[in-house]
Amino acid sequence: MSNGNPFYMPPSLISPDSMSFKIAVAGENIYVGKRDGHLMHSLDEGKTWNDLTDHLPFPVQNYKSIVFAGNFVFVATDKGVLLSANGTDWHTLTDVEKTPLVTNRLVVDGTTVYCETKQKIYQLNRNIGIWQPVTPEIPYPVSSFDVDNNTLYAGTFGGGVLRFSLDN
C-alpha cells in the first residue's frame, strides 16, 4: 500500500538505513534526495512532486546534504556538490583544480556555503563558483562544524573543538 505518498514505507520496513534520505525546506519549496538515487522536488509543500533525477549532470547513489542559501539549493552527493536556482539547471561545484569536492555536510551562514572534505573546511566563492579552503588541514577527523559570522568552529574526533577566524 503506497498510501498515495511517494515516500510512504510500511512501518515493518523502517530501519535506520531505510530512512537515509535528505531533505531541505524553504517555505513551500521542498527537495528530497531519496535513498534510491532520485532527487524529488515540490513547490506546494509536498502535495505534488517532480522527479529531477534526469536533470542532474551525473547519476547519484547517495545524497549527503541538501541546503538552501539565498535563491539557490545546494545538494551534496557521493560524486560532488551541485547548485541550482530552479531545479532544472544544475552545476557541479569544483575547487581551483576543477575537482568536485565530496562532502558529508554543507553549512550555511547567511548566503555563504561551506563544506568539509579531507580535513579542511572550504567556502564557496559564488563570484567564481569555486570552493576555496578557509582552514589549514585539521590534524583530526572533523565530526561537525558550524559558522557564525566570521568565526568557524570545527568539532573533531580527538582534538576537541577548534576555532578559526575567517577575517581576511
Side-chain angles (χ1 to χ4, degrees):
M1 173 178 173
S2 72
N3 201 22
N5 181 336
F7 302 107
Y8 176 79
M9 184 177 298
S12 62
L13 296 179
I14 295 176
S15 71
D17 289 336
S18 69
M19 297 302 293
S20 61
F21 64 85
K22 301 300 178 194
I23 187 168
V25 179
E28 295 181 348
N29 198 3
I30 305 171
Y31 284 85
V32 173
K34 294 175 59 180
R35 61 187 167 85
D36 64 2
H38 286 264
L39 182 64
M40 306 300 290
H41 184 220
S42 175
L43 290 169
D44 57 10
E45 297 181 320
K47 294 178 186 95
T48 61
W49 292 91
N50 297 306
D51 188 340
L52 304 177
T53 309
D54 290 339
H55 296 285
L56 302 179
F58 47 73
V60 173
Q61 291 181 342
N62 195 339
Y63 292 94
K64 308 282 191 167
S65 180
I66 304 174
V67 297
F68 285 98
N71 295 326
F72 298 93
V73 63
F74 296 82
V75 179
T77 77
D78 58 338
K79 304 232 177 35
V81 180
L82 303 172
L83 158 73
S84 181
N86 59 18
T88 303
D89 301 312
W90 292 90
H91 307 281
T92 305
L93 300 173
T94 66
D95 63 10
V96 294
E97 297 169 352
K98 304 291 185 210
T99 304
L101 298 184
V102 176
T103 183
N104 287 324
R105 65 189 67 81
L106 299 170
V107 170
V108 177
D109 185 37
T111 59
T112 304
V113 180
Y114 298 85
C115 77
E116 180 271 330
T117 189
K118 299 180 183 173
Q119 293 176 232
K120 287 185 184 179
I121 309 293
Y122 291 79
Q123 177 182 335
L124 180 65
N125 181 328
R126 291 237 311 252
N127 293 331
I128 58 175
I130 299 290
W131 291 112
Q132 296 179 311
V134 292
T135 67
E137 184 172 333
I138 298 169
Y140 303 95
V142 176
S143 60
S144 63
F145 74 97
D146 206 353
V147 179
D148 183 38
N149 292 316
N150 288 324
T151 305
L152 183 144
Y153 299 89
T156 67
F157 292 108
V161 176
L162 306 176
R163 181 177 182 265
F164 298 93
S165 174
L166 298 176
D167 290 330
N168 291 333

